[in-house]
Amino acid sequence: MSDTPHHSAAFVRTTPLPPAPPPATERGAIKWIRENLTSTPANAVMTVLSLVAIYYVLAFVMPWLLNGVWNAGSIRECREIAAGSGGGCFAVLTERWHQLLFGRYPQDAYWRPTLAFVLLFAAIAPVLFQNLPRKLMIFTALYPFVAYWLVWGGTILTPVFALLGFVVGYVVYSRLVDKSFAMGFFGGLLAAIVTWWVTGFASDAGSGLLALEQVESREIGGFMLNMILGTVCVSLSLPLGIVLALGRQSSMPIIKWICVVFIEFIRGVPLITLLFVANVVLAYFLPPGTNFDLILRVIIMITMFAAAYIAEVIRGGLAALPRGQYEAADSLGLDYPQAMRLIILPQALKISIPGIVNVAVGLFKDTTLVSIIAMFDLVGMIRGPILASTDWNGVYWELLGFAAVLFFVVCYGISQYSQWLERQLQTDRR
Amino acid sequence: MAMTDEALARKDAKVSDEVAIDIQNMNKWYGTFHVLRDIDLTVYRGERIVICGPSGSGKSTLIRCINALEEHQKGSISVDGTVLSSDIKNIDTIRSEVGMVFQHFNLFPHLTILENCTLAPIWVRKIPKREAEETAMHFLTKVKIPEQADKYPGQLSGGQQQRVAIARSLCMRPRIMLFDEPTSALDPEMIKEVLDTMIELAEEGMTMLVVTHEMGFARQVANRVIFMDEGQIVEQNEPEEFFMNPKSDRTKLFLSQILGH
Amino acid sequence: MTTLTDPPQESFRLSMLLNDTRYRSYTFQFIALIGVFLFIGWLISNAAQNLEDLGQDISFGFLGEAAGYDINQRPIEYNSQDTHLRASIVGVLNTLIVAFLGCITATVFGVIAGILRLSNNWIVARLMAVYVEAFRNVPVLIWILIIFFIMTASLPAPRAFRGDEPAATMLFDAFAFTNRGVYAPKPIWEAGSMIVVITFLLSVAGIFAYRRYATKLLYDTGRLLPTFWPSVALFFVPTILMYFIMGRPISLEYPEMSGFNFTGGMQVRGSLIALWFALAIYTGAFIAENVRAGILAISKGQTEAAASLGLRPNRIMNLVILPQALRVIIPPLISQYLNLTKNSSLAIAVGYMDVTGTLGGITLNQTGRAIEAILLLMLFYLTISLAISAIMNVYNNAVKLKER
């Protein structure tokens, strides 16, 4: 390449050439249109067709939105006001927003779930963004207890004692884990159970202390119920999913098969059948005399459902780690729990985050299925009390459109986060 | 074979008569494939042994058996007098006595260099963190990268990563070091820095088993070179004799292939 | 891990159960097994106690009793006097019908959207991105309800088609979109229609045979035959010829207005259409992403390598890109089919009588046999899932890249 042609004398460029602007046809809007819209005749036809389609959709939707009626007492009033302008009856949203968002939650206590919702962002931020100070995780750990107290009310002693059990359990665990992981784990578990048992009496005694008005589970509904089910089940299913994934990767056949059967069973049936189980079957399998809340039974089943899917995602992450990481941990003398906790899981979970987020989005969408077993989440509220009322019978598009938009905002937001994270992971992959 | 293990080891002043590793009649199969056949090998404290041979000859498997990364099915291995058995405590003892350096470094990418070095001392040897960090800095200085302590493995060159891997093993204060092709994943310009570190280690009297094709290193450092083929030890000798005057045809062929160009 | 035969056998000590790698894993597995058995035993004893307290038992005898309810879409003979078992089978068939229709339609939507999303036409690519994002991020239940309400609330009642100046008109005089469903022409198969169908199938097989012959000819002699127009001709000509030779044995029965409703033709209920299209559009959005990812996964290097060998774009697509992209696309595609089948259980929300609606819905409520009905329901879905996974495994093994 550097060969100089024989016939020419040596040439040395002394002044660099300035960059020249591209020819006019290669510039600006003309170039963009030529390349992106009309590069071939077929392409031009598709452009025209698309524009026509967009026009029709807008011609249909815009009057509906722009001439929408936001203030009316019933669908008949709406129609009178709209008077054939094609405007939508959005008054149902302004009139029934409390049912759509909170279900039958007591109106004077709306500040409680709202506060819990706002705090959720503070709690979840350090999980989502790794460059925030790690100390914020303390709030994340406290959040479930605060949120429970805010949403369900009752004395603050209940969540405080629940937290105390975890703290005692953790202290015992960290004392014993040096000796062996199993000893630490079971010791911690035992200590926590003892603490809960002992404090159970105390919280009965101090039931008036710092008590918020108690709210029954069946009063919780609307979009709030979707949010609660989504966040609770995703966070509970993570640890369960990790255990299942490790079990499925285990070299011990019986443990492996227990996990495989569980995972494949759950993944093989639709969520709705599991919700039926929660609704009508689960009660049979619990000790006689116990009476679990429907919401708690649903949380158990959805958690199991999500855990099976998360386990598969994490299994992918585990499989993606090079064999050498396991060998290096072994050759340094780390035992299995240490190797998993310190070396394998931190890396495998990091790779799995985008997949876990996808499962979370799917799960959040699936929380609408509880409307089928007569729980009044957002969709349940729309199909039940609102559409059944004489005032609003027939306002389908506005209500379902509103639900669709709410879900879209949340799910699209989460999936954008997941894509951002994937790009981040790609750049610091080495 | 002309000389016994002991006779070979004897010729070097640094080598003591204490046995570090004793392998007797060891056999290993992958399924029905016979990977290692009747391996007998005694390593004395302070010995530097280079193992070479064509790929698939079982040389990596041999040293991976020594710290129980691979199980053997027949024969016995004892390290520092501890017989490698299926007792988990035995395996732990041996692994903390024996350091291992891998071809692909196998540093933990989510931990800093310093954390890579202190992790095992803290969790396995139960050494206080401060002390472990001092030890780690000592060895990082020794492999000449103390200034990289707070970086992550991904920010280092291959040669630097391999030196960290050596330091990480040394932090456990092993009495024996195993090297599994430590330079074959490196760019040519980085091989020397790793070999220099290994030479320095050898000069301090560390017992070393090195699987490598770096024949220059073998000549300079080893006091015994072992040639393996098809899962057997074919020939072993002191380096001078081994390279100048190979006895077996297979050794001759191998040497002509790797030294030929 | 390490087993030894040579050293003297030490006598067995209890601590070896925990410390010896030979026994350790058995100890753990034994403990796990005992734990699982205890847990299952606990559940079963609870159930036995609860059933006894309620005076119930576990029995599948209800399957033989008369169901007593009607099903509006009956692929096989069924009336309310038939058994619950038969009602469940009708439900199973309805599930399979909607799953089959949905999978095919979803594939069409997904492939088109996935390819168009990679188009270099900016507007088309954007539109497809909007479609994919809008449908992936909204629960499928909401889409099912939206389409169901379009079908039932926005469309005119059949009687709107009546009279001289009807409020609604039929499309091509053949299709009527009403709030009771879509009425469409129904094919009538007369004697001899079998021969036409067989001719059609044979000519499709003929297309494949011709293409194979063309490839063989290319390999043997280097002569390239045209394939596109002969294929089109083979597709249409023999079947149409046979249709006229046999005296037009296949005719269409058009729906007609009589009284306040349509008679004749084929009625496709709004609930089926809602479920079918919602599932197809929703799953199509996911398939589009799989297709796009599959095509993108085949590196630009492959296209460039093929182009530098002098292959033309459509040959590059057929010979290099597609065979590789399909390998990437088909496994997630099959798991989307599985998802669609499982999501079809949402039929119960719009009153489509699939197996969840019959066995898990009305039968369960009428007989109160919750445990039995849900167990059977789960077994049905599980069978389908396992069958689909088995197919997927076979496929994966068949296409696995030969690698070292």
Side-chain angles (χ1 to χ4, degrees), chain A residues 122-189:
Chain A
I124 208 170
V127 182
L128 297 185
F129 302 101
Q130 296 297 321
N131 45 9
L132 288 175
R134 294 293 84 197
K135 284 211 172 107
L136 290 176
M137 290 295 263
I138 296 173
F139 179 71
T140 310
L142 290 179
Y143 178 75
F145 306 98
V146 176
Y148 172 82
W149 181 57
L150 282 173
V151 172
W152 272 271
T155 168
I156 198 170
L157 286 179
T158 316
V160 166
F161 285 146
L163 176 62
L164 190 69
F166 280 106
V167 172
V168 170
Y170 180 74
V171 169
V172 172
Y173 161 81
S174 55
R175 283 285 149 77
L176 292 179
V177 74
D178 273 356
K179 295 203 176 61
S180 105
F181 177 79
M183 224 163 113
F185 180 77
F186 289 109
L189 195 67

Side-chain angles (χ1 to χ4, degrees), chain B residues 71-72 75 84 86 88-89, chain C residues 1-4 19-22:
Chain B
E71 61 175 309
H72 58 282
L84 184 54
S86 51
I88 200 159
K89 290 196 176 130
Chain C
M1 291 158 80
T2 312
T3 46
L4 296 168
N19 289 331
D20 195 300
T21 46
R22 276 171 297 176

